[in-house]
Amino acid sequence: MSFRATVLSLYPEMFPGPLDLSLAGKAREAGLWSLEAVQIRDFATSKHRNVDDTPAGGGAGMVMRADVLARALDHVAGPQDARPKLLMSPRGRPLDQGRVRQLATGPGAVILCGRFEGVDQRLIEARALEEVSIGDYVLSGGEPAALVLLDAVIRLLPGVMGNEQSGEEESFEGGLLEHPQYTRPQLFEERPIPEVLLSGNHAKIAAWRRAEAERLTRERRPDLWAAYRGDKPV
Ligand code: ADE
């Protein structure tokens, strides 16, 4: 069974966008995943097909209407649909490789892209939406966040990545950032490739890579480093 993504957006033309190129594009052609991009406005019923309104209590901006979004969600995902319903939002739980891995082993995802100041809270509760953030910054809408999430998931689907091992060794898979990589030429602007990598000694190379991964993680990501050390006391 292939991974089925349904995206609800006011800008469905943004999809598949970059996901039609490269690895993800080939995988879609091969039927390893599918994408349906749905226009939320098609579910508006008012004369002017409004999807948003002013915030209760006053204040700036507009809020996406619960009734319109509920109709859109119910249309694309019936009660038997086992896919998680995600709402891309800077208020969500930060996306990490663990959640990406879980999603990649599931049947797919229904992804609602927020715009304006947000989404009526009653919709989030009534449809049990899982709010997902891709980082502590604010995008103009959830669409680029949905593209990021899908990209991360698709590359993990069985059969998508050519070299399965390259997935196991990359950043986050062992709780560490990935070690630095080098390739030809041996000398670039007077900078040589680290000697050990040319030694042919696989045990020494593995030890060097681990030490570098640990150093980078310690220097750049104290949060990941603390979690890693918590898992494996030194
Ligand atoms: N929408 C706006 N900003 C976002 C973010 N950081 N993550 C997910 N969705 C968003």
Side-chain angles (χ1 to χ4, degrees), residues 163-205:
N163 178 358
E164 299 291 340
Q165 229 212 331
S166 71
E168 285 162 29
E169 286 184 5
E170 68 194 3
S171 289
F172 308 116
E173 288 299 334
L176 294 172
L177 301 180
E178 197 189 25
H179 57 77
Q181 298 278 18
Y182 300 87
T183 187
R184 278 182 284 273
Q186 275 205 32
L187 201 61
F188 166 68
E189 297 183 353
E190 296 171 37
R191 296 163 188 265
I193 292 175
E195 190 89 35
V196 58
L197 298 179
L198 309 173
S199 69
N201 183 331
H202 296 296
K204 270 176 90 172
I205 291 170

Side-chain angles (χ1 to χ4, degrees), residues 14 36-37 50 52 62 76 94 101-102 113 115 154 181 204 234:
M14 288 195 195
E36 177 191 20
N50 294 318
D52 59 329
M62 300 291 270
V76 302
R101 263 194 305 265
Q102 282 175 352
C113 300
R115 284 259 150 189
I154 289 159
Q181 298 278 18
K204 270 176 90 172
V234 280

